[in-house]
Amino acid sequence: DQQVKQNSPSLSVQEGRISILNCDYTNSMFDYFLWYKKYPAEGPTFLISISSIKDKNEDGRFTVFLNKSAKHLSLHIVPSQPGDSAVYFCAASATDSNYQLIWGAGTKLIIKP
Amino acid sequence: DVKVTQSSRYLVKRTGEKVFLECVQDMDHENMFWYRQDPGLGLRLIYFSYDVKMKEKGDIPEGYSVSREKKERFSLILESASTNQTSMYLCASSPLGKLNYGYTFGSGTRLTVV
């Protein structure tokens, strides 16, 4: 049973426009969420996170929104740049699980020139 | 800067060989993890360890074993490599009780079993 779902395997966005990547979760005990970015032949790198006490966290071009009632989070990238082309993973954890991360399957973002 | 180093970027092994993948971290992290990444399946946890000599099975431990004799080193062992173990293998570490930045990953090892 997938506890963290990224339902879009891929997303294509024009350079300069907004990219929106979505993630849904089922476990109401999750209280911390992270987004990772992964280039081919490299390990994932941390991008941005959000605690369940917040509904928004912003870092430069990247903003994560959390809707706890819908068990949904999204990552907004604006404006999208060619270097943003990568696979994006959503991950969640619960404090009582020793912070073990549960991962989504990833969304491949392609930025078109 | 936290660094997680995986010994090989690319490996090609024959079916039936015993394969060792090594991972070393330099930040005194308690937690270490081994994942494999396959297209469409995301990151799947093979094994993890919370301390020296401790290990816990993840979601897909079959065909794998691990060793953690020292805090900084976590090894993944494929006892008898098979073609369905061809994959990207990722090692990660994190401090106990802290998740501000999640896990720190190594660059990965692309293993091909022929």
Side-chain angles (χ1 to χ4, degrees), chain B:
Chain B
D1 232 15
V2 178
K3 204 166 181 184
V4 177
T5 303
Q6 293 184 231
S7 53
S8 306
R9 292 297 299 270
Y10 300 94
L11 273 179
V12 180
K13 296 291 181 181
R14 295 195 179 278
T15 302
E17 272 193 81
K18 191 168 185 175
V19 181
F20 293 86
L21 302 183
E22 305 288 344
C23 175
V24 177
Q25 50 98 0
D26 65 1
M27 282 301 289
D28 203 36
H29 284 174
E30 289 81 9
N31 301 334
M32 295 189 77
F33 307 86
W34 274 107
Y35 287 90
R36 62 179 281 177
Q37 186 209 354
D38 300 287
L41 297 177
L43 300 176
R44 294 185 291 167
L45 182 63
I46 304 170
Y47 268 96
F48 60 101
S49 168
Y50 291 134
D51 202 350
V52 176
K53 298 204 187 285
M54 287 185 59
K55 58 186 178 185
E56 299 276 349
K57 291 181 180 179
D59 301 319
I60 51 164
E62 297 78 19
Y64 303 94
S65 63
V66 289
S67 171
R68 194 164 180 202
E69 296 296 319
K70 293 185 178 181
K71 191 174 185 179
E72 67 270 18
R73 188 180 295 269
F74 193 35
S75 303
L76 180 70
I77 303 149
L78 286 67
E79 298 291 342
S80 176
S82 64
T83 54
N84 63 12
Q85 292 178 310
T86 292
S87 186
M88 166 72 98
Y89 289 87
L90 294 161
C91 176
S93 73
S94 72
L96 193 66
K98 294 179 187 176
L99 201 58
N100 295 16
Y101 302 103
Y103 301 169
T104 301
F105 282 87
S107 298
T109 297
R110 171 70 66 183
L111 173 68
T112 303
V113 182
V114 297

Side-chain angles (χ1 to χ4, degrees), chain A residues 10-112:
Chain A
S10 66
L11 176 68
S12 188
V13 173
Q14 202 77 31
E15 182 179 355
R17 300 283 185 102
I18 184 170
S19 295
I20 300 176
L21 296 99
N22 294 304
C23 179
D24 297 295
Y25 62 96
T26 57
N27 189 342
S28 58
M29 298 301 292
F30 287 149
D31 54 10
Y32 201 76
F33 305 89
L34 305 95
W35 284 94
Y36 274 75
K37 177 179 177 178
K38 185 183 182 301
Y39 292 118
E42 292 185 15
T45 54
F46 170 78
L47 193 56
I48 193 169
S49 63
I50 188 165
S51 162
S52 60
I53 62 172
K54 294 185 174 182
D55 53 19
K56 176 182 173 182
N57 189 26
E58 199 170 347
D59 183 2
R61 296 187 297 115
F62 302 92
T63 303
V64 56
F65 296 92
L66 176 62
N67 182 333
K68 288 188 291 292
S69 61
K71 294 191 178 69
H72 176 84
L73 63 155
S74 60
L75 174 68
H76 292 212
I77 306 172
V78 55
S80 300
Q81 298 175 355
D84 297 330
S85 295
V87 176
Y88 290 79
F89 290 100
C90 169
S93 82
T95 304
D96 63 359
S97 70
N98 191 24
Y99 304 100
Q100 191 176 139
L101 289 180
I102 308 300
W103 297 84
T107 296
K108 184 176 183 178
L109 176 64
I110 301 162
I111 305 301
K112 299 178 293 187

